[in-house]
Amino acid sequence: MNEESAKLDVELLGQIAQGDRVAFSRCYDRYSGILFSIVVKVLNDPKEAEDVLQEVFLQIWDKAGIYKRELGVPFSWFVTLTRNKAIDRLRSSQRRFRLLEELKEETAVLTNAGSTFMTDPENRESSVMVRSAVRSLPSDQRQAIELAFFGGLTQNEISESLGQPLGTVKARIRRGMLKLRDALEDHL
Amino acid sequence: MIDERTEEQASLYALGLLSEQEAREFERELRESEELRGFVAQLKRSADLLATSAPSVEPPPHLKQKLLDQIEQRMKIVPLKKAETLFAPAWFPWAMAACLAVLCAIFFSENKSARQRSARLRDELQELQKQTISLRGETDILQNQVAEFRSKDRLSQLRIAMLSSLLASSPKAVAVSVWDNEQQKGVLVVEHLASLPSDKDYQLWVIDSKYPSPVDAGVFTVDEKGAVRFQFQPKSRVNFEKIAVTLERKGGVAKPEGKMVLLGS
């Protein structure tokens, strides 16, 4: 995610706020893949993920006018919207516990599958860097962070799920997040 | 310099793991420290980039068109909203205030009306309760009247007969019989009747013209004062016409044989 990309996103949001469907279409092309991947990862249900992605983009259409640059780059806003909606959906379903088990397995062997997150080579490289950074985390730290990010679990739930004291979980998350930040420093 | 505890809070905040209360407190710290804001922004961006580590899955191709169609529908409504927004600053607050005032007036009126309805219903309920009590009283009266009528009806079934002495030896002897035709039972009360030797009984007869001879109603004796209260029941069902007492041998007879002592009708 570079500065040029963020600038383009801000422009697109401005146009969407004016009711520009072409801009909306471009925004969809840029982010539907990555956002859909997040939802599928959280819900583990492509059909339900469709509904959530639809809600996300309709919200982008409706709320583009109130987006504020100081709250972060558009990509962060999109991810937050998507993650919140997916986790809300997850919490209202009983698939949560099944997901926990799957996440534990997944974090043990992190996939190398490619992402369609943006099509330009620079962003592909960024995606590869992120994967590499995540892979470089010790498994206990990665597991705690992924349970929070993709599982939507609370601190206590993560502690319970991992069978570790709350203090240990917090410390793992802190160390993991600092490492992640350091590894992604060039992309922040 | 950010300490470890703050780093921990910042990491949890970036992942959305703080409770509402904790997040509010942390945001107060954020407002006071530019360094902390920069640190949190980096962590937040790192967390956002985690999204790109999810295995890639493409949304179905039809979804985009579906979304564009939905937006098309919304577009038909949007211009109206925009038009309203253009004029909003001038009169919108006053219109809102007027609407609120009207609504308040309606609610006040509705409330007053509801209270009046409630009071009216309460009065009606009290009236109905009074009527219920009154009806219960009337029912009691009617039931008493019915009982009375039944009693009167019962009395109408009773026959009272005065019996006179037919013996010169017992001129003062008197008797009264009360006969319940429905029950086919009666009571005979006698006074001043002559005492009897041990081999004799007085025998009571009910006379009904449909029978060829009087119907036996039992034997009795009197005390030393010549008195007795004797309950009797004829051997056959009778239509009471007359009643008579005869002097018979001990234990009575099937048909009258001795002297008639008392007679009444």
Side-chain angles (χ1 to χ4, degrees):
Chain A
M1 177 70 55
N2 57 33
E3 194 61 34
E4 279 299 306
S5 182
K7 197 176 166 188
L8 174 61
D9 290 340
V10 172
E11 280 174 21
L12 284 177
L13 275 181
Q15 290 162 351
I16 291 170
Q18 297 299 314
D20 188 333
R21 281 168 286 173
V22 176
F24 178 80
S25 180
R26 284 184 66 192
C27 181
Y28 181 89
D29 291 341
R30 281 169 67 77
Y31 291 108
S32 61
I34 180 62
L35 299 182
F36 189 65
S37 301
I38 296 171
V39 185
V40 171
K41 170 94 173 174
V42 172
L43 295 177
N44 197 29
D45 181 344
K47 186 65 195 159
E48 201 163 1
E50 274 184 44
D51 293 341
V52 174
L53 187 70
Q54 200 169 310
E55 286 175 21
V56 168
F57 273 98
L58 285 175
Q59 192 155 357
I60 290 172
W61 173 261
D62 289 337
K63 310 283 183 189
I66 61 168
Y67 163 76
K68 290 190 177 99
R69 184 72 173 89
E70 56 267 32
L71 294 177
V73 295
F75 173 69
S76 292
W77 183 50
F78 299 157
V79 169
T80 303
L81 265 183
T82 306
R83 193 172 151 254
N84 288 346
K85 282 195 179 294
I87 287 170
D88 283 349
R89 185 70 68 104
L90 178 69
R91 283 181 174 155
S92 67
S93 74
Q94 294 184 340
R95 287 194 308 280
R96 190 174 188 187
F97 296 102
R98 197 179 70 207
L99 177 86
L100 285 177
E101 297 306 313
E102 289 170 5
L103 266 178
K104 284 180 192 170
E105 289 167 17
E106 278 184 29
T107 49
V109 186
L110 202 64
T111 177
N112 280 315
S115 168
T116 58
F117 172 49
M118 302 187 208
T119 50
D120 62 86
E122 195 176 345
N123 286 328
R124 262 206 303 276
E125 187 191 331
S126 168
S127 182
V128 170
M129 283 291 296
V130 173
R131 288 173 180 283
S132 171
V134 171
R135 262 204 309 274
S136 71
L137 293 176
S139 65
D140 57 347
Q141 295 171 16
R142 189 172 67 230
Q143 205 172 20
I145 289 171
E146 289 212 322
L147 282 172
F149 190 82
F150 291 112
L153 300 193
T154 64
Q155 301 171 41
N156 287 323
E157 286 169 335
I158 295 169
S159 162
E160 200 174 311
S161 169
L162 298 177
Q164 295 293 329
L166 187 58
T168 306
V169 168
K170 286 180 178 179
R172 283 181 186 176
I173 288 172
R174 173 185 152 272
R175 286 196 296 272
M177 287 301 288
L178 290 177
K179 279 184 191 161
L180 202 58
R181 183 200 62 162
D182 294 343
L184 299 174
E185 197 171 10
D186 295 340
H187 299 271
L188 299 178
Chain B
M1 182 68 185
I2 299 169
D3 61 25
E4 267 193 24
R5 189 202 71 83
T6 311
E7 281 181 355
E8 191 175 275
Q9 288 293 97
S11 301
L12 297 173
Y13 180 77
L15 287 170
L17 285 174
L18 293 181
S19 66
E20 279 185 32
Q21 173 70 18
E22 290 170 331
R24 271 199 299 274
E25 285 169 12
F26 185 73
E27 280 163 1
R28 270 200 294 275
E29 284 185 54
L30 268 183
R31 280 194 291 275
E32 291 165 8
S33 168
E34 193 176 340
E35 185 191 9
L36 185 57
R37 281 199 297 276
F39 179 67
V40 168
Q42 287 179 334
L43 292 181
K44 187 77 174 61
R45 293 270 293 126
S46 304
D48 291 338
L49 286 174
L50 272 175
T52 63
S53 69
S56 174
V57 188
E58 280 297 303
H62 71 270
L63 194 60
K64 184 178 176 184
Q65 190 54 50
K66 195 175 169 184
L67 266 167
L68 290 172
D69 290 345
Q70 283 181 299
I71 282 166
E72 191 70 32
Q73 288 294 317
R74 290 178 184 224
M75 288 285 281
K76 291 171 186 171
I77 302 166
V78 168
L80 284 174
K81 282 182 179 172
K82 284 181 177 173
E84 283 169 6
T85 309
L86 285 174
F87 294 105
W91 53 265
F92 189 70
W94 294 103
M96 284 297 289
C99 286
L100 276 172
V102 170
L103 280 174
C104 285
I106 290 168
F107 287 144
F108 177 76
S109 169
E110 283 291 313
N111 186 30
K112 193 177 171 186
S113 171
R115 276 192 304 218
Q116 285 171 344
R117 274 202 302 274
S118 172
R120 200 162 54 243
L121 285 171
R122 200 164 46 240
D123 291 345
E124 285 176 8
L125 182 63
Q126 282 174 351
E127 186 59 32
L128 282 171
Q129 284 171 337
K130 280 181 193 169
Q131 285 180 3
T132 305
I133 292 166
S134 171
L135 282 172
R136 275 185 195 149
E138 286 181 14
T139 304
D140 290 343
I141 290 167
L142 283 172
Q143 282 176 339
N144 289 337
Q145 283 180 346
V146 168
E148 194 179 335
F149 287 145
R150 280 180 181 160
S151 175
K152 283 180 181 171
D153 185 53
R154 179 80 182 274
L155 285 172
S156 71
Q157 296 291 319
L158 297 180
R159 293 281 303 272
I160 299 172
M162 298 293 294
L163 288 84
S164 302
S165 174
L166 299 176
L167 290 175
S169 58
S170 302
K172 290 182 181 175
V174 289
V176 178
S177 80
V178 178
W179 171 249
D180 185 338
N181 201 48
E182 188 182 329
Q183 301 279 327
Q184 291 285 299
K185 286 180 182 175
V187 178
L188 177 72
V189 180
V190 178
E191 285 182 2
H192 307 299
L193 198 59
S195 297
L196 293 174
S198 59
D199 61 339
K200 296 288 183 180
D201 274 334
Y202 290 113
Q203 189 164 3
L204 184 63
W205 306 92
V206 176
I207 299 163
D208 181 350
S209 55
K210 76 179 178 191
Y211 293 105
S213 57
V215 178
D216 177 19
V219 296
F220 63 92
T221 57
V222 294
D223 60 17
E224 64 275 13
K225 293 180 182 174
V228 70
R229 182 184 177 85
F230 174 59
Q231 291 187 341
F232 64 91
Q233 186 163 24
K235 300 281 172 61
S236 305
R237 185 170 185 81
V238 295
N239 182 25
F240 188 97
E241 290 176 5
K242 288 184 180 176
I243 187 168
V245 175
T246 59
L247 181 62
E248 304 292 349
R249 63 175 181 267
K250 193 71 178 176
V253 293
K255 288 182 184 178
E257 294 172 2
K259 289 181 182 175
M260 187 173 290
V261 178
L262 298 166
L263 179 65
S265 61

